[in-house]
Amino acid sequence: MSKVLDDRQDWKPVIIGKKKGASRGGGRPPAAAGVGVPGAVAVSKGAGNRQRAGPDNYRALDSDEAGPVKTVELSLSRKIQQARQDKKMTQKELATMVNEQQRVIQDYESGRAVPNNQVLGKLERALGVKLRGKAARAAAPKVKK
């Protein structure tokens, strides 16, 4: 049985590299000259550590041309805070009611949060006030400058 398997095995070494006549010098590459392996490819050490500049679109991603991220307006954050205080709730109680973390409520009330319609919808239902749309803008108190 083992004799049958041995006949099917190919035990010849496989050399990956250029064909014999493809090199410019006509012979073997310099690194393989002393080794005695015809057509072996030389690998230079340390060549992979060079810093290279990426394509232009990578540089565009790194720049701040897109502008700052839009956060919650001050009037909206004050409206959320006022509605929560009118219901005599803490930020933690409101967060539990809308199934969000307390940090999310803090961010909305301080104006650091990026507006999310799902979270605003939950807050509207929990607080009983309109926070989105034309009705919310019309009912928003005027802030003196």
Side-chain angles (χ1 to χ4, degrees), residues 3-133:
K3 195 161 198 122
V4 173
L5 290 177
D6 288 340
D7 292 340
R8 295 181 192 168
Q9 290 291 330
D10 184 18
W11 293 101
K12 296 177 189 171
V14 177
I15 300 172
I16 300 173
K18 295 181 180 180
K19 293 184 180 178
K20 211 169 195 183
S23 65
R24 291 183 190 168
R28 290 181 283 181
V35 178
V37 179
V41 177
V43 177
S44 69
K45 295 182 181 178
N49 291 335
R50 285 188 222 142
Q51 294 288 332
R52 295 183 183 153
D56 292 336
N57 59 351
Y58 288 165
R59 281 185 233 118
L61 290 174
D62 289 339
S63 69
D64 293 325
E65 293 175 13
V69 176
K70 195 165 192 154
T71 57
V72 176
E73 295 178 6
L74 183 63
S75 62
L76 178 63
S77 63
R78 296 289 175 233
K79 194 171 187 179
I80 293 170
Q81 189 174 20
Q82 187 63 44
R84 178 182 58 81
Q85 289 173 350
D86 288 346
K87 291 219 173 211
K88 295 182 176 27
M89 296 171 65
T90 63
Q91 288 180 343
K92 187 172 185 177
E93 291 170 344
L94 179 59
T96 305
M97 185 180 275
V98 297
N99 199 21
E100 292 290 338
Q101 294 180 355
Q102 182 180 357
R103 181 72 183 172
V104 172
I105 306 301
Q106 288 174 351
D107 288 345
Y108 271 90
E109 288 188 2
S110 66
R112 290 188 307 253
V114 176
N116 184 343
N117 280 329
Q118 282 186 322
V119 176
L120 289 173
K122 291 177 185 180
L123 290 172
E124 284 178 344
R125 286 190 294 275
L127 297 172
V129 295
K130 191 75 174 161
L131 300 174
R132 303 174 287 177

